[in-house]
Amino acid sequence: MINYIIAHTHWDREWYFTDKRSVVYSLYDFDELIDFLENNDEFSTFLLDGQTSIINDYISYRPYNKDRIRKLVENNRLVIGPWFTQTDTLVISGESIIRNLLYGIKDSNEYGSYQKIGYLPDSFGMSESLPMIYDNFNLKYAVFRRGISNYLTDNREFIWDSKSGKSIRAFNIYHYGLMAYPPNDIDDKYFDNLIDKLKDFNNHSPYIIFCGEDQKPIRKNLPELIKDSKYNFKIESLENALDSLFENIDNLQSYKGEFTMAQFSRTHKSIFSTRADLKIKNNRLENYLTNIIEPISSIAMKLGIHYENLLIERAWRLLLENAAHDSIGMCNSDKTNEVIEKRYDEAKDLMENLLDITLRKIGDRIDSKGLSFQVYNTLPYMREDIIEGEIYTPYENFKINSNGNDIDYELISIKEDNITLNKSKREIGVNNEKYSNLENYKNLYKAKIRFKDKINSMGYKTYDISKSEDKIYSNNKISNKYFKVELTEDGSLVINGDNKIEKIYFENSGDEGDSYDYSKPSRDLIITKGKVLEKEITNGKYFSELKSTIVQKIPSNLENRQNKKLDVNQKIKINVRLYDKFIKLNVKIKNKAIEHRYRIVTKTKLNKKENFADTQFGTIIRQNKLKEEKIWQEENRDEKPRTIEPMISLCGIGDSEKIAVVTDGVREYQVLEDSSIAMTLYRSVKYLGKANLNDRPGRESGVYKEEDGHKLLDKIIEENYYITQTDKDYDEIHKFAKERLTPLFMYQSGEILDNTNSLVISKSKDKLQKEFSLLEIDSKAIMSVLKKSEEEDFLILRLYNPLVDKKEDYKINYNGKIDYLKADEKTQVEEKEINPEDIITIKLK
């Protein structure tokens, strides 16, 4: 029987070294690789890590080598794709993973082809959504290393099922560096040892051995090393090797679920909270792109405004460069994390300006007397919710009207701004207009307002501003039958009322870990109490609000914690808003200590053994306790099994009655023994990598090095939490999360913005209606995105089913032709119901 050698390199684009160091070294290594393959036919094929970003980097400095790469790829001598970057799969959004494949396949096709494998040899665990995602791109195999355990499956070649009903053949790698350092005097005793490891690991024949490792150049004498072996080795592409392997295995077993265990290799299950400041930027940008930018751009496209797909692609690629397993793990050098932050900031700057000009182009075309503004809803159903924002008004006392109806609003603040008025008056005539309403205004005010109204599905509604003789806004006290919040003297929030939430408090504990892992100190000191320095309570029209500063005395470092020396006054600013059916909690901390972890804990009155969280496109049920926790040291595991878990936006506990927490911040939670939900705010550590942790014995991960950035000293961490109780199914919780992360928002266009502050733009003569709705959906399914197709001139609407065990139907009200595709945006499918944790991608012409 022929056995197979996969010649490859795993080329981290950045890590403890920067992307600049990586690309400079790739110029040397990839030059050598191309030259060698072209001149040595006996070296049949080489796998270049399965991501196109490193090739794009190389080609940016070697454009003349693109045709050489294309020829090698077309002849299967050089294997690439299908990813743009080697993505993390647990705390990256579903749309991020889909874009990664879309752009990776797009790039790969420009170079010639791509391997039909979901190839992630080093990502820190696998989401249970992956089989469904891979099926949507017609991939043949899933290949990964980390996360498997004999407690999950003792098979290394198996059918990986998903709740959606979609499956993929999966191959678990013993180690992509198994043959990383072969001696030049190699013999079959060496190979006997490697094959024995694969047999013990329960890999089957024909055996597949990976020759290569991180940043390794091609091993040129590999054909010589293997030519006389009794194992009849052949250098082969991974796809062809897997074809042969699976043809030789009868009765493949099946597995359904995620892979996050660390029995054979570390998965770093608490890396989800490393560098919380950067994690938060990623999470908010993902939400901003999919929940705001792309739907607004789609609305604008249907109104005749150009869809800036290349700008949006640029923003996505910046995020995806940061989505690679080390990059999003932020287990990097400070210098690398600085580059990562700059990418986030560039993407944010691009998209904020794109949103501004898009909304301005829409608003400028809406014919309205005087000053007006629009409120936008980017979800596919009519919503009634609270809208808050700033507008310009020429009147100190003013009315707001829509469709002939006065709107009752709260005036939060108002101040004069005649500088903007005078600047805009100077620009009158830029659009050849002979008269402007601005000439009628003697004063201009900037007002912050808040009101509640119903807004059209996937569209906008216009509001006109007119003069009022009286101040008409109100500030009434509201009652709340669900919650009553009391701030106690020790800084806890006690929750009374007809609900299952007992209290909310802050937990500070020690952390002896590094940038990869939280690790509990041998002598910990857990602090949950503090002191209230100040508080302010106000009752508005739509919610009650409590603002407070709490201080906790905590140790400044791990040594002082062990000695119970409380030498830091850590301030925590909170803003609690009490709505009818949920609590919003804004938390802001300027970190003043190191080697510690902060969590916000919601203590519940429920007693459950399981919890739930969202995955990329569904809901996962997890156990609160793991039986492996008691025996992990006996089994010599690489890492302590943890119930610290990943999420995308929500987690919770309960069945008929559920308590859920939604956040735009760190995507990490743990359900404690008393059924409390602990959400990680941040971790502060000294080391990039550190050896011999209590919860992770042995070598350091990464490199042993102190990095100041991981300490987060004097960094401000700000996160929002939305806590609710429901007796509904999971679709209602996903809908709640989607709405909280997709607020209704207002924008004011018009001549008042034509000044040097906002820049001056020409006005279109084509007019728009004062209200618009692009489409409406009736379904329990949740919208993942509405966007333009990557390559063609139509819109893509994607829905997913958040239910655990029920199919879901949908009705779409849309004035146009509807077809159905896979997420690859090319493969046509039949219309159907959406299975649990499945998606439907809808083509809108």
Side-chain angles (χ1 to χ4, degrees), residues 609-634:
K609 295 181 179 179
E610 296 179 330
N611 63 79
F612 61 84
D614 59 343
T615 61
Q616 281 77 16
F617 295 109
T619 306
I620 188 169
I621 308 300
R622 296 184 174 113
Q623 299 298 312
N624 296 347
K625 292 183 180 180
L626 298 173
K627 56 186 178 182
E628 300 94 313
E629 287 183 79
K630 295 182 179 180
I631 57 174
W632 71 279
Q633 290 168 311
E634 297 172 19

Side-chain angles (χ1 to χ4, degrees), residues 506 530-534 548-554 568-574 587-593 596 598 681-682 715-717:
F506 295 94
K531 182 180 180 182
V532 176
L533 293 186
E534 56 191 15
S548 179
T549 299
I550 301 163
V551 64
Q552 288 186 333
K553 287 187 172 295
I554 66 172
V568 166
N569 289 325
Q570 180 63 66
K571 291 183 179 179
I572 307 169
K573 291 184 177 294
I574 63 170
V587 180
K588 186 184 292 187
I589 300 179
K590 187 175 183 180
N591 182 47
K592 292 295 182 184
H596 68 127
Y598 253 112
L681 283 161
Y682 69 93
K715 277 277 187 180
I716 295 175
I717 307 296

Side-chain angles (χ1 to χ4, degrees), residues 13 23 26-27 52-61 321:
R13 192 169 180 270
V23 73
S26 77
L27 297 179
T52 60
S53 58
I54 58 175
I55 307 172
N56 296 346
D57 291 342
Y58 171 79
I59 288 297
S60 66
Y61 298 100
E321 288 177 7

